[in-house]
Amino acid sequence: MNHPIPILVFIYNSYKDPLFQNLLLQYIKTLSQNGNYRFDLITFEQPQYALSIEETKLETNELEKYNIYWHPRKFHTGRFLLFKKAFDVISTFFQIIRIKATYKTRYIFAFANVAAAIAVLFSRFMNLKLVIYSYEPHSDFMVELKLWSKQSWNYRILHWLEKMAAQHASDIMTGTIHMVEKLKSEGIKANLYRAPTAVDPDTFYFRPESRDQLHQSLGIDDQHVYIYPGKFGGLYYEREIIALFGQLYAQDPKSYFLVATDYDKNQIHSWFEEENIPTTSYHLRAFIDAAQIPDYLSAADMGIVAIPPTPSQKFRSPTKVAEYLLCGLPYITCQGVSEDDEYATDHEVGIVVNDFSREEISKVYPKIDQILALNKSELREKCRKVGLDYRSRERVDHLLQSIFK
């Protein structure tokens, strides 16, 4: 019997982070089912995604059915950030040396740019082929959203490492044609693939029973339901999300808002109150477990993509759009975000705004009203068809099988 191909999977997210659960983990499991691999998975665990000892044991046993061996590490943040990140890199370096020596690891598979910026160091020193999934200019995002300055060491170091990662990667999968063209113009020699973030169409689909159950349990009658399952602040809009809801409610008091986030709940409740949105017109809860997301999306009529339209956002590929479309949901997004704005307009599956200002929402509301008035079954079918073409995971699965064969 041939020995399995050993691959180190490196992410700078927590194991239970929905981004990992809904994307990379599913791709790895599919690879495992269709080939002979050993995956050593390194994650960095944050408190909000913490698992109990028993939960960790259950997850570990489940992963091993797919030849995935999990090595969780602690995520460090706060003061003296650069020193903490340096500690993460150095301590992980020795762990990877042990893994490589034991299993003759050949590839390091990095998820997104922060992980890639660290993984390139391991790749160079240990002669590992670097494969990057979801290459996006994270350092530029942080500057454009005024979280860092271009003079800061955080920016300088990450930006330099991102460039190095692109230069030394063997394969780069990125979400948009915009980034493929940018990397080509910079003379990057890696194999480049346009691979928008995608989800499993056998998991993400409209579920009428779930819609009925959630509408009944939440007391939703004939209202128009908007959903936002995501983060507030950082790389996303913050107070502006609830301001958008406030304008939608002012235009249509039959609006209802589903929000799932780990943000401060008291703060969000106060924002809803400031927008004069009664508690009977919204539901606020913690992040939704990955398995339940299609249920909640099925309960909605329109999804929200809360990414501010700064210049580098055209290189992003938000997972939410894949989830929305495959569950039959149109969406609201900003001009210049990914290729999602183009698909929304060209295929009439969404609304594009310049920003989340009240003026913008008021201006486009007739288009929102027009979409909400369409036959729901026909609209769902149309959105799903576009989603299957644009954001189904089959193409990503095939690319990964080709890369690691």
Side-chain angles (χ1 to χ4, degrees):
M1 180 177 178
N2 292 332
H3 291 292
I5 297 172
I7 301 172
L8 178 73
V9 180
F10 186 81
I11 72 168
Y12 208 62
N13 303 68
S14 300
Y15 174 74
K16 275 296 183 178
D17 189 319
L19 276 176
F20 174 67
Q21 287 285 316
N22 296 334
L23 289 176
L24 207 62
L25 181 58
Q26 302 309 314
Y27 298 149
I28 297 168
K29 285 182 174 180
T30 300
L31 274 173
S32 179
Q33 291 169 330
N34 291 285
N36 187 18
Y37 302 96
R38 175 195 168 91
F39 300 98
D40 284 282
L41 169 64
I42 292 181
T43 66
F44 287 80
E45 298 303 307
Q46 302 180 54
Q48 63 264 41
Y49 298 113
L51 298 176
S52 67
I53 294 174
E54 186 60 32
E55 287 171 332
T56 300
K57 184 178 179 181
L58 289 172
E59 292 291 342
T60 299
N61 292 338
E62 179 64 22
L63 288 171
E64 289 181 3
K65 295 177 185 177
Y66 295 90
N67 289 333
I68 303 171
Y69 300 89
W70 183 22
H71 311 275
R73 301 187 62 81
K74 184 177 179 181
F75 182 89
H76 295 97
T77 188
R79 295 181 63 193
F80 309 111
L81 185 63
L82 288 178
F83 291 103
K84 291 178 178 178
K85 299 306 179 188
F87 173 81
D88 286 343
V89 171
I90 294 168
S91 59
T92 306
F93 180 85
F94 290 106
Q95 183 176 27
I96 294 175
I97 286 178
R98 291 192 294 271
I99 292 171
K100 185 178 189 298
T102 304
Y103 302 108
K104 313 301 181 189
T105 307
R106 292 163 53 184
Y107 296 92
I108 183 164
F109 185 21
F111 176 44
N113 275 32
V114 175
I118 300 171
V120 69
L121 301 175
F122 306 142
S123 169
R124 298 296 308 283
F125 281 107
M126 298 183 219
N127 194 29
L128 297 169
K129 278 191 173 182
L130 174 60
V131 177
I132 304 172
Y133 174 69
S134 191
Y135 185 93
E136 299 172 344
H138 188 83
S139 58
D140 289 333
F141 295 164
M142 299 296 281
V143 168
E144 290 171 0
L145 294 170
K146 297 181 172 54
L147 299 172
W148 291 352
S149 74
K150 279 200 170 184
Q151 287 70 45
S152 70
W153 282 108
N154 290 341
Y155 172 79
R156 291 179 182 181
I157 292 173
L158 180 56
H159 190 70
W160 174 66
L161 288 173
E162 285 178 330
K163 295 289 186 183
M164 185 191 296
Q167 290 166 358
H168 294 284
S170 63
D171 300 85
I172 297 175
M173 305 170 72
T174 185
T176 69
I177 193 63
H178 307 307
M179 180 53 79
V180 170
E181 291 172 347
K182 184 176 189 294
L183 291 172
K184 284 181 178 178
S185 72
E186 293 173 352
I188 298 303
K189 303 301 182 185
N191 298 313
L192 301 174
Y193 311 92
R194 173 186 174 269
T197 52
V199 293
D200 186 354
D202 293 330
T203 300
F204 286 87
Y205 56 87
F206 175 67
R207 303 179 182 187
E209 301 85 1
S210 298
R211 182 181 176 89
D212 292 342
Q213 290 168 4
L214 280 166
H215 277 217
Q216 184 175 2
S217 66
L218 296 174
I220 298 170
D221 190 8
D222 60 346
Q223 289 139 299
H224 297 135
V225 182
Y226 300 85
I227 189 166
Y228 179 65
K231 297 177 181 178
F232 281 63
L235 298 178
Y236 301 86
Y237 276 126
E238 194 170 37
R239 174 69 174 85
E240 297 89 345
I241 298 170
I242 309 304
L244 176 145
F245 291 161
Q247 188 60 39
L248 289 171
Y249 187 79
Q251 299 279 164
D252 175 20
K254 290 176 67 176
S255 298
Y256 189 96
F257 308 102
L258 280 173
V259 179
T261 185
D262 62 354
Y263 197 83
D264 185 325
K265 304 298 186 295
N266 291 331
Q267 180 64 76
I268 295 178
H269 280 303
S270 71
W271 288 339
F272 270 111
E273 186 176 354
E274 289 170 12
E275 296 295 334
N276 297 313
I277 301 174
T279 55
T280 53
S281 292
Y282 71 90
H283 175 66
L284 176 61
R285 55 155 293 158
F287 271 137
I288 304 164
D289 185 80
Q292 291 183 296
I293 289 177
D295 298 325
Y296 277 82
L297 297 186
S298 296
D301 300 305
M302 187 168 287
I304 305 298
V305 183
I307 297 175
T310 59
S312 293
Q313 300 305 314
K314 66 180 180 181
F315 303 125
R316 286 185 77 175
S317 185
T319 311
K320 288 182 185 63
V321 172
E323 296 172 347
Y324 292 159
L325 287 174
L326 288 170
C327 287
L329 271 185
Y331 56 89
I332 297 175
T333 190
C334 285
Q335 184 76 41
V337 175
S338 189
E339 296 173 43
D340 300 336
D341 54 347
E342 299 167 27
Y343 271 82
T345 302
D346 295 346
H347 299 277
E348 298 179 328
V349 292
I351 300 294
V352 179
V353 295
N354 290 319
D355 53 46
F356 271 22
S357 65
R358 299 175 195 279
E359 295 76 18
E360 274 293 300
I361 300 307
S362 179
K363 185 170 67 176
V364 302
Y365 187 78
K367 294 180 182 178
I368 296 174
D369 191 45
Q370 186 178 13
I371 286 181
L372 293 174
L374 293 173
N375 179 282
K376 282 185 168 45
S377 295
E378 293 177 3
L379 178 59
R380 288 187 193 110
E381 184 178 346
K382 181 181 183 179
C383 290
R384 182 168 173 84
K385 184 177 179 181
V386 172
L388 288 170
D389 175 64
Y390 178 33
R391 294 295 200 97
S392 178
R393 58 173 273 192
E394 287 182 359
R395 184 166 174 268
V396 179
D397 288 334
H398 291 154
L399 280 175
L400 289 174
Q401 288 172 33
S402 174
I403 290 168
F404 292 120
K405 68 181 178 181

Short mmCIF file of all heavy atoms in Angstrom, two decimals, residues 1-30:
data_model
loop_
_atom_site.label_atom_id
_atom_site.label_comp_id
_atom_site.label_asym_id
_atom_site.label_seq_id
_atom_site.Cartn_x
_atom_site.Cartn_y
_atom_site.Cartn_z
N MET A 1 0.85 -1.20 0.00
CA MET A 1 0.00 0.00 0.00
C MET A 1 0.89 1.25 0.00
O MET A 1 1.87 1.32 0.72
CB MET A 1 -0.91 0.01 1.23
CG MET A 1 -1.83 1.20 1.31
SD MET A 1 -2.94 1.08 2.74
CE MET A 1 -3.82 2.63 2.60
N ASN A 2 0.54 2.25 -0.83
CA ASN A 2 1.31 3.49 -0.88
C ASN A 2 1.18 4.25 0.43
O ASN A 2 0.13 4.26 1.07
CB ASN A 2 0.82 4.37 -2.03
CG ASN A 2 1.13 3.76 -3.38
OD1 ASN A 2 2.10 3.02 -3.52
ND2 ASN A 2 0.30 4.08 -4.37
N HIS A 3 2.26 4.92 0.81
CA HIS A 3 2.20 5.76 2.00
C HIS A 3 1.36 6.99 1.70
O HIS A 3 1.38 7.52 0.59
CB HIS A 3 3.61 6.17 2.42
CG HIS A 3 4.43 5.04 2.95
ND1 HIS A 3 4.15 4.42 4.14
CD2 HIS A 3 5.53 4.41 2.44
CE1 HIS A 3 5.03 3.46 4.36
NE2 HIS A 3 5.87 3.43 3.34
N PRO A 4 0.61 7.50 2.69
CA PRO A 4 -0.19 8.71 2.46
C PRO A 4 0.70 9.92 2.20
O PRO A 4 1.81 10.02 2.72
CB PRO A 4 -0.98 8.87 3.76
CG PRO A 4 -0.18 8.13 4.78
CD PRO A 4 0.46 6.99 4.06
N ILE A 5 0.20 10.85 1.39
CA ILE A 5 0.89 12.11 1.15
C ILE A 5 0.72 12.98 2.40
O ILE A 5 -0.41 13.29 2.79
CB ILE A 5 0.32 12.84 -0.07
CG1 ILE A 5 0.54 11.99 -1.33
CG2 ILE A 5 0.95 14.22 -0.24
CD1 ILE A 5 -0.16 12.54 -2.56
N PRO A 6 1.82 13.36 3.08
CA PRO A 6 1.69 14.14 4.32
C PRO A 6 1.60 15.64 4.04
O PRO A 6 2.46 16.23 3.39
CB PRO A 6 2.98 13.80 5.08
CG PRO A 6 3.97 13.46 4.00
CD PRO A 6 3.21 12.97 2.80
N ILE A 7 0.54 16.26 4.54
CA ILE A 7 0.29 17.69 4.33
C ILE A 7 0.08 18.36 5.69
O ILE A 7 -0.72 17.88 6.50
CB ILE A 7 -0.96 17.91 3.45
CG1 ILE A 7 -0.78 17.23 2.08
CG2 ILE A 7 -1.26 19.39 3.28
CD1 ILE A 7 -2.04 17.23 1.23
N LEU A 8 0.78 19.45 5.92
CA LEU A 8 0.56 20.25 7.12
C LEU A 8 -0.44 21.35 6.78
O LEU A 8 -0.22 22.14 5.86
CB LEU A 8 1.88 20.88 7.59
CG LEU A 8 1.77 21.78 8.82
CD1 LEU A 8 1.54 20.96 10.07
CD2 LEU A 8 3.02 22.63 8.98
N VAL A 9 -1.55 21.38 7.48
CA VAL A 9 -2.57 22.41 7.28
C VAL A 9 -2.40 23.45 8.38
O VAL A 9 -2.49 23.14 9.57
CB VAL A 9 -3.98 21.80 7.33
CG1 VAL A 9 -5.04 22.88 7.12
CG2 VAL A 9 -4.13 20.70 6.29
N PHE A 10 -2.14 24.69 7.97
CA PHE A 10 -1.81 25.74 8.92
C PHE A 10 -2.81 26.88 8.82
O PHE A 10 -2.95 27.51 7.76
CB PHE A 10 -0.39 26.27 8.63
CG PHE A 10 0.10 27.26 9.64
CD1 PHE A 10 0.63 26.83 10.85
CD2 PHE A 10 0.04 28.63 9.40
CE1 PHE A 10 1.09 27.75 11.80
CE2 PHE A 10 0.49 29.54 10.33
CZ PHE A 10 1.02 29.10 11.53
N ILE A 11 -3.53 27.13 9.91
CA ILE A 11 -4.48 28.24 9.92
C ILE A 11 -4.23 29.09 11.16
O ILE A 11 -3.79 28.57 12.20
CB ILE A 11 -5.95 27.77 9.88
CG1 ILE A 11 -6.36 27.13 11.20
CG2 ILE A 11 -6.18 26.81 8.74
CD1 ILE A 11 -7.85 26.91 11.32
N TYR A 12 -4.48 30.39 11.04
CA TYR A 12 -4.33 31.28 12.19
C TYR A 12 -5.71 31.64 12.73
O TYR A 12 -5.93 32.73 13.23
CB TYR A 12 -3.52 32.51 11.82
CG TYR A 12 -2.77 33.09 12.99
CD1 TYR A 12 -1.80 32.34 13.63
CD2 TYR A 12 -3.02 34.37 13.46
CE1 TYR A 12 -1.11 32.85 14.72
CE2 TYR A 12 -2.34 34.89 14.53
CZ TYR A 12 -1.38 34.13 15.16
OH TYR A 12 -0.70 34.64 16.25
N ASN A 13 -6.62 30.69 12.61
CA ASN A 13 -7.97 30.81 13.15
C ASN A 13 -8.16 29.70 14.18
O ASN A 13 -7.34 28.79 14.29
CB ASN A 13 -9.03 30.63 12.06
CG ASN A 13 -8.87 31.61 10.92
OD1 ASN A 13 -7.92 31.54 10.17
ND2 ASN A 13 -9.82 32.50 10.77
N SER A 14 -9.27 29.78 14.90
CA SER A 14 -9.64 28.71 15.81
C SER A 14 -10.32 27.59 15.06
O SER A 14 -10.91 27.80 13.98
CB SER A 14 -10.58 29.24 16.90
OG SER A 14 -9.96 30.27 17.63
N TYR A 15 -10.28 26.42 15.63
CA TYR A 15 -10.90 25.26 14.99
C TYR A 15 -12.39 25.48 14.75
O TYR A 15 -12.92 25.12 13.70
CB TYR A 15 -10.68 24.02 15.86
CG TYR A 15 -11.40 22.80 15.35
CD1 TYR A 15 -10.94 22.11 14.23
CD2 TYR A 15 -12.56 22.33 15.99
CE1 TYR A 15 -11.61 20.99 13.75
CE2 TYR A 15 -13.22 21.22 15.52
CZ TYR A 15 -12.75 20.55 14.40
OH TYR A 15 -13.41 19.45 13.93
N LYS A 16 -13.08 26.07 15.71
CA LYS A 16 -14.53 26.26 15.59
C LYS A 16 -14.91 27.57 14.89
O LYS A 16 -16.10 27.88 14.77
CB LYS A 16 -15.19 26.21 16.98
CG LYS A 16 -15.52 24.80 17.45
CD LYS A 16 -16.56 24.14 16.56
CE LYS A 16 -16.95 22.77 17.06
NZ LYS A 16 -18.01 22.16 16.20
N ASP A 17 -13.95 28.32 14.41
CA ASP A 17 -14.25 29.52 13.63
C ASP A 17 -15.05 29.09 12.40
O ASP A 17 -14.64 28.20 11.66
CB ASP A 17 -12.94 30.19 13.19
CG ASP A 17 -13.18 31.56 12.56
OD1 ASP A 17 -14.13 31.70 11.78
OD2 ASP A 17 -12.37 32.47 12.82
N PRO A 18 -16.24 29.71 12.17
CA PRO A 18 -17.06 29.31 11.02
C PRO A 18 -16.31 29.36 9.69
O PRO A 18 -16.60 28.56 8.79
CB PRO A 18 -18.22 30.32 11.05
CG PRO A 18 -18.31 30.74 12.47
CD PRO A 18 -16.90 30.74 12.99
N LEU A 19 -15.35 30.30 9.56
CA LEU A 19 -14.58 30.38 8.32
C LEU A 19 -13.85 29.07 8.05
O LEU A 19 -13.80 28.59 6.91
CB LEU A 19 -13.57 31.52 8.39
CG LEU A 19 -14.06 32.91 8.03
CD1 LEU A 19 -12.95 33.92 8.25
CD2 LEU A 19 -14.55 32.96 6.59
N PHE A 20 -13.27 28.50 9.10
CA PHE A 20 -12.57 27.23 8.93
C PHE A 20 -13.55 26.07 8.78
O PHE A 20 -13.40 25.22 7.91
CB PHE A 20 -11.63 26.97 10.11
CG PHE A 20 -10.99 25.61 10.07
CD1 PHE A 20 -10.07 25.29 9.08
CD2 PHE A 20 -11.32 24.65 11.01
CE1 PHE A 20 -9.49 24.04 9.03
CE2 PHE A 20 -10.74 23.39 10.98
CZ PHE A 20 -9.82 23.08 9.98
N GLN A 21 -14.57 26.05 9.64
CA GLN A 21 -15.52 24.95 9.63
C GLN A 21 -16.23 24.80 8.28
O GLN A 21 -16.39 23.69 7.77
CB GLN A 21 -16.56 25.15 10.74
CG GLN A 21 -16.03 24.91 12.13
CD GLN A 21 -15.86 23.44 12.45
OE1 GLN A 21 -16.72 22.63 12.15
NE2 GLN A 21 -14.74 23.09 13.05
N ASN A 22 -16.64 25.93 7.71
CA ASN A 22 -17.44 25.89 6.48
C ASN A 22 -16.60 25.84 5.21
O ASN A 22 -17.15 25.56 4.14
CB ASN A 22 -18.37 27.10 6.42
CG ASN A 22 -19.39 27.09 7.53
OD1 ASN A 22 -19.74 26.03 8.05
ND2 ASN A 22 -19.87 28.25 7.93
N LEU A 23 -15.33 26.14 5.32
CA LEU A 23 -14.48 26.18 4.13
C LEU A 23 -13.41 25.10 4.16
O LEU A 23 -13.61 23.99 3.66
CB LEU A 23 -13.83 27.56 3.99
CG LEU A 23 -14.75 28.71 3.60
CD1 LEU A 23 -13.98 30.02 3.62
CD2 LEU A 23 -15.32 28.48 2.21
N LEU A 24 -12.29 25.43 4.77
CA LEU A 24 -11.12 24.58 4.64
C LEU A 24 -11.34 23.17 5.19
O LEU A 24 -10.88 22.19 4.60
CB LEU A 24 -9.92 25.24 5.33
CG LEU A 24 -8.56 24.84 4.75
CD1 LEU A 24 -8.45 25.25 3.30
CD2 LEU A 24 -7.44 25.46 5.56
N LEU A 25 -12.01 23.06 6.31
CA LEU A 25 -12.22 21.73 6.89
C LEU A 25 -13.00 20.84 5.93
O LEU A 25 -12.69 19.65 5.78
CB LEU A 25 -12.96 21.84 8.23
CG LEU A 25 -13.23 20.51 8.94
CD1 LEU A 25 -11.93 19.76 9.20
CD2 LEU A 25 -13.99 20.74 10.24
N GLN A 26 -14.00 21.42 5.27
CA GLN A 26 -14.78 20.61 4.32
C GLN A 26 -13.93 20.18 3.13
O GLN A 26 -14.04 19.05 2.63
CB GLN A 26 -16.00 21.40 3.85
CG GLN A 26 -16.92 21.86 4.97
CD GLN A 26 -17.31 20.72 5.91
OE1 GLN A 26 -17.67 19.63 5.47
NE2 GLN A 26 -17.24 20.97 7.21
N TYR A 27 -13.06 21.08 2.66
CA TYR A 27 -12.18 20.72 1.54
C TYR A 27 -11.22 19.60 1.93
O TYR A 27 -10.98 18.67 1.16
CB TYR A 27 -11.36 21.94 1.11
CG TYR A 27 -12.15 23.11 0.60
CD1 TYR A 27 -11.70 24.41 0.77
CD2 TYR A 27 -13.37 22.94 -0.06
CE1 TYR A 27 -12.42 25.50 0.31
CE2 TYR A 27 -14.09 24.02 -0.51
CZ TYR A 27 -13.62 25.30 -0.33
OH TYR A 27 -14.33 26.36 -0.80
N ILE A 28 -10.69 19.68 3.15
CA ILE A 28 -9.74 18.66 3.61
C ILE A 28 -10.44 17.31 3.72
O ILE A 28 -9.90 16.26 3.33
CB ILE A 28 -9.12 19.06 4.96
CG1 ILE A 28 -8.32 20.35 4.82
CG2 ILE A 28 -8.22 17.96 5.49
CD1 ILE A 28 -7.92 20.95 6.16
N LYS A 29 -11.65 17.31 4.27
CA LYS A 29 -12.38 16.05 4.40
C LYS A 29 -12.66 15.42 3.03
O LYS A 29 -12.54 14.20 2.86
CB LYS A 29 -13.70 16.30 5.15
CG LYS A 29 -13.52 16.51 6.64
CD LYS A 29 -14.86 16.70 7.33
CE LYS A 29 -14.69 16.78 8.85
NZ LYS A 29 -15.99 16.97 9.54
N THR A 30 -13.00 16.26 2.07
CA THR A 30 -13.26 15.74 0.72
C THR A 30 -11.97 15.18 0.11
O THR A 30 -11.99 14.12 -0.53
CB THR A 30 -13.83 16.84 -0.19
OG1 THR A 30 -15.06 17.31 0.38
CG2 THR A 30 -14.12 16.31 -1.58
#
